[in-house]
Amino acid sequence: MSTRHVRRALVAALAPMVVLGVAAQPAAAQPSAPPIRSYEGDPGRLGDPASWRTPEFNRDAGLVSMGAEFAYAAGYSGTGMNIGVVDSGVFAGHVREHGSLETNYAVGDRFFSVEAQGGNTGPTPGFYNQAINDSHGTHVSGTIGASRDGVGETQPSGPAANMHGVAFNSNVYMGNTGKTDGVLYGLLPANATAAQRPDDAYIGNVYRAVNSARTANGEPVRIITSSWGSQPNTENYNTYDAPPGSPASFGLNTAWRLWSTPDGVVDANGSTVRWLNGAIEAARAGTVIQFTAGNSGYVNPSPRGAAPYFMPELEGHWYTTSGINPTTGRTFNPDGSVLVPGQQTFNQCGVAKWSCVTAPSNGINSTTVSVVNGVPEPRYGSSSGTSMAGPHSAAALSLIMQRFPYLTNEQALYTMFTTGRQNNTINDAAGNAVLNPTRGQIVQVPDNRNGWHTVSLREAMKGPGQLLGVFDVDTQGHSDVWSNDISDVAIRARQQEDAAEAAAWEATKVAKGWTQGLPADASDIDKSDYAIGIRREQARKARAYEGSLVKRGEGTLFLTGNDTWHGTSSVLGGTLSVVGSHASAIDVPCGTLGGNGTVAGDVDATGGVLRPGLTAEEAAQIIDAPVAAGNALTVGGNVTIGNKGRLAVTISGDHDYTSVRAAGDLVLAGELALDVRGTLTPGTVFTIMSGNSVKGAFHALPENRVLNAGGHLFRVSYKNDSVTLTVLRALPSQAS
């Protein structure tokens, strides 16, 4: 349970809180967000990314590398988001940075202590304790949520240039490791000191406590980020297994075996509990867990960062963050936004590339604490390491969650993955860093050095960049626009990787005599390797290797990009409006398919509604992509209106009506619904559908049947590979 520190401390010359951008908020087709809260005189304006790049913004070189200004310009600063942190406490004395600028900067106003206990550790608050903690947790948490206040707290040498967090309106819930950053997170060396030894049972409970914290707004903690601790010198992650001639403890897989020891069994550290299991429990409950990759320059991240490789069931709820130097190799667009975010540094993504991103890690300015004459005082300072990258990516993920409140945690994470912007270098065949020929472009397939590359909030605010299998989304009554060009390039590439991995696994089972399972006398090493192989085999069998979209829930989802995923998509609720181009087939069992774009595959309205067209009112709501109203939906395949389906056509004038233009056959059996507006001229012919051929007819509307709609009589015809309506006359009550 979280405990709230209620002591209030007033800061001199408090800057008044103001609400930014209310009047400028456009009536866009996207979920509304609470207004951004900042200081009086903040130049930041909605719709103007450059206006957010103040000296305070630029104090953290990472913000521009991730395109954070584009999130703020869209109206998202983390308001209402609860971000969990497990680290060496957060200093409560940074009252200005921890307040919401509207409650006199109360300690605990946005930064909360989560108390935990267990093992040999009694109840321990999340706030910094100078007897057991260092400044690390304060630095990390400032990167996440320090206030955008425009002033900065006074330092001994005078007023310091201020900084603000990535999600500067978010709530931060801190669990305390009870140690400094010098605590070791893996196989302990024989000479490890008490300060270096974690209390495993306690730290596992910290994750459980943060995950179940009673938050001030009643909403869950959706992300827990961890940067704490140091790698033991007993471990080396440059290889998967221990290479010949190296210490037996070297190798990523070797290090993982510590974490795969069941609770209740004494491990190599002499512990019967694994603290990592607390984080695993939180991930299995649906919370996204972030662990930093480590700082030793290895080709793989630490085992805790690489956990989804060994436990594929954690994918979608667990990821690791490697670092970029945001000043090396970074380039800019003419408008001042970033093109190439920077250059990868520290541990690479390696085997965890499918669950790895990069984020700014070098020369990062944030909040710190210094003990002066025995008294802790608030300070600012610069640090480097993946410890700085993790909070950047986690806070960015919270902005994506705020932008898309209807996405699940997994879907928000995959949106962050698939909209990454490529870094300056990649690996050659020998694993050496070489210049990336596609640097600055949006990521296509994750690589061993960079994973999904650097988080790009500019692109993430526009929706997913790829579908990594079935993307089953319930818009929950929200209307929204996805304007990225959405593909499934990565998951199709993964199919090839998985095929090679499957062949290698079959060869391993033959070579080791595992084709019928493990022998009774198998060693502990073989048991671990076999368990990993089986888990990965099961994950491959369950994986869908083409993207597809399932749209559920009320609200309209507009797709304005060039969407090239291969799987058949389905509309099961609300409206899916294709405004751009769509490469595959769409089924409409219920709900509505609309738009004035192009669908290359078949459209099958078995029980839902096909309502072609994009109205002027709908077009006006789409503000992040250039679109125009239009009446025709173009289909490259067949169009079927099933027995329980319906075609809905709007006729607004003699030359203004909606229609379907198909290259394939028209197969008709369901209903025709007409919405007729205004007066029409007798003899006018409306071609509401055209195709290669027409098979069947609308329900109760055979050839030449006359129907009454909107005060007019129409004759229906299915000749000449088209469906036409001819105006016979207006009924007397409608005649002019």
Side-chain angles (χ1 to χ4, degrees), residues 7-326:
R7 177 179 61 85
R8 294 182 178 270
L10 298 180
V11 179
L14 295 179
M17 180 276 296
V18 297
V19 176
L20 295 180
V22 175
Q25 180 68 49
Q30 67 182 45
S32 60
I36 292 176
R37 299 182 182 276
S38 183
Y39 60 93
E40 185 175 13
D42 189 337
R45 299 186 304 276
L46 294 180
D48 184 0
S51 68
W52 295 89
R53 300 184 200 124
T54 62
E56 184 180 13
F57 174 98
N58 291 326
R59 180 70 172 167
D60 176 358
L63 293 179
V64 73
S65 283
M66 297 196 307
E69 69 269 36
F70 289 89
Y72 311 148
Y76 303 98
S77 59
T79 305
M81 302 306 301
N82 299 317
I83 304 172
V85 183
V86 176
D87 213 296
S88 60
V90 56
F91 179 51
H94 267 290
V95 289
R96 176 178 289 279
E97 297 295 1
H98 296 176
S100 67
L101 291 84
E102 60 181 333
T103 55
N104 293 328
Y105 301 93
V107 175
D109 185 38
R110 286 192 306 104
F111 280 55
F112 298 84
S113 162
V114 178
E115 185 176 283
Q117 62 181 329
N120 299 315
T121 305
T124 302
F127 285 128
Y128 163 88
N129 180 336
Q130 69 185 87
I132 58 173
N133 295 140
D134 58 6
S135 196
H136 191 269
T138 301
H139 194 281
V140 164
S141 60
T143 295
I144 293 171
S147 294
R148 183 177 168 100
D149 56 42
V151 180
E153 298 182 48
T154 301
Q155 303 296 288
S157 58
N162 201 11
M163 51 73 61
H164 67 72
V166 178
F168 56 81
N169 278 168
S170 65
N171 302 316
V172 177
Y173 286 82
M174 173 65 78
N176 196 329
T177 60
K179 302 286 182 176
T180 69
D181 193 47
V183 64
L184 303 178
Y185 51 68
L187 180 63
L188 300 174
N191 61 349
T193 65
Q196 292 175 315
R197 293 179 174 272
D199 185 337
D200 287 349
Y202 165 72
I203 293 181
N205 283 346
V206 175
Y207 285 94
R208 297 179 180 98
V210 172
N211 191 52
S212 60
R214 184 180 301 170
T215 61
N217 61 10
E219 296 298 321
V221 171
R222 298 179 64 181
I223 313 159
I224 301 176
T225 180
S226 292
S227 302
W228 64 268
S230 300
Q231 175 208 319
N233 60 15
T234 51
E235 297 184 352
N236 181 299
Y237 317 131
N238 256 332
T239 57
Y240 185 72
D241 286 309
S246 70
S249 60
F250 279 21
L252 180 65
N253 186 29
T254 308
W256 174 256
R257 293 190 189 111
L258 174 73
W259 307 110
S260 60
T261 306
D263 278 353
V265 176
V266 178
D267 64 21
N269 286 339
S271 176
T272 59
V273 177
R274 260 51 65 192
W275 65 259
L276 192 66
N277 287 339
I280 291 173
E281 288 177 23
R284 286 175 168 161
T287 304
V288 176
I289 302 296
Q290 188 287 139
F291 277 103
T292 47
N295 298 341
S296 300
Y298 297 139
V299 301
N300 291 302
S302 70
R304 61 185 191 172
Y309 176 85
F310 300 102
M311 302 178 67
E313 64 270 26
L314 296 179
E315 286 194 19
H317 298 284
W318 194 294
Y319 76 101
T320 189
T321 308
S322 181
I324 60 163
N325 189 327

Side-chain angles (χ1 to χ4, degrees), residues 513-578:
W514 294 350
T515 55
Q516 302 300 316
L518 280 178
D521 60 348
S523 68
D524 289 343
I525 291 176
D526 281 354
K527 289 178 182 177
S528 177
D529 288 349
Y530 184 79
I532 294 166
I534 291 297
R535 289 193 199 102
R536 295 193 61 77
E537 179 181 41
Q538 292 171 341
R540 290 192 298 272
K541 290 179 178 179
R543 196 166 286 135
Y545 290 109
E546 59 182 14
S548 63
L549 176 68
V550 178
K551 162 69 171 76
R552 302 178 190 270
E554 294 304 309
T556 299
L557 179 58
F558 297 94
L559 303 177
T560 67
N562 176 24
D563 298 332
T564 57
W565 70 77
H566 289 75
T568 297
S569 295
S570 301
V571 185
L572 300 180
T575 299
L576 180 67
S577 182
V578 177

Side-chain angles (χ1 to χ4, degrees), residues 309-371:
Y309 176 85
F310 300 102
M311 302 178 67
E313 64 270 26
L314 296 179
E315 286 194 19
H317 298 284
W318 194 294
Y319 76 101
T320 189
T321 308
S322 181
I324 60 163
N325 189 327
T327 59
T328 300
R330 185 169 67 178
T331 64
F332 293 90
N333 295 304
D335 65 358
S337 63
V338 74
L339 176 60
V340 180
Q343 186 162 302
Q344 191 277 334
T345 185
F346 302 116
N347 286 2
Q348 299 176 36
C349 292
V351 299
K353 68 178 184 179
W354 289 97
S355 299
C356 182
V357 298
T358 60
S361 60
N362 290 63
I364 303 302
N365 289 289
S366 188
T367 50
T368 62
V369 54
S370 292
V371 178

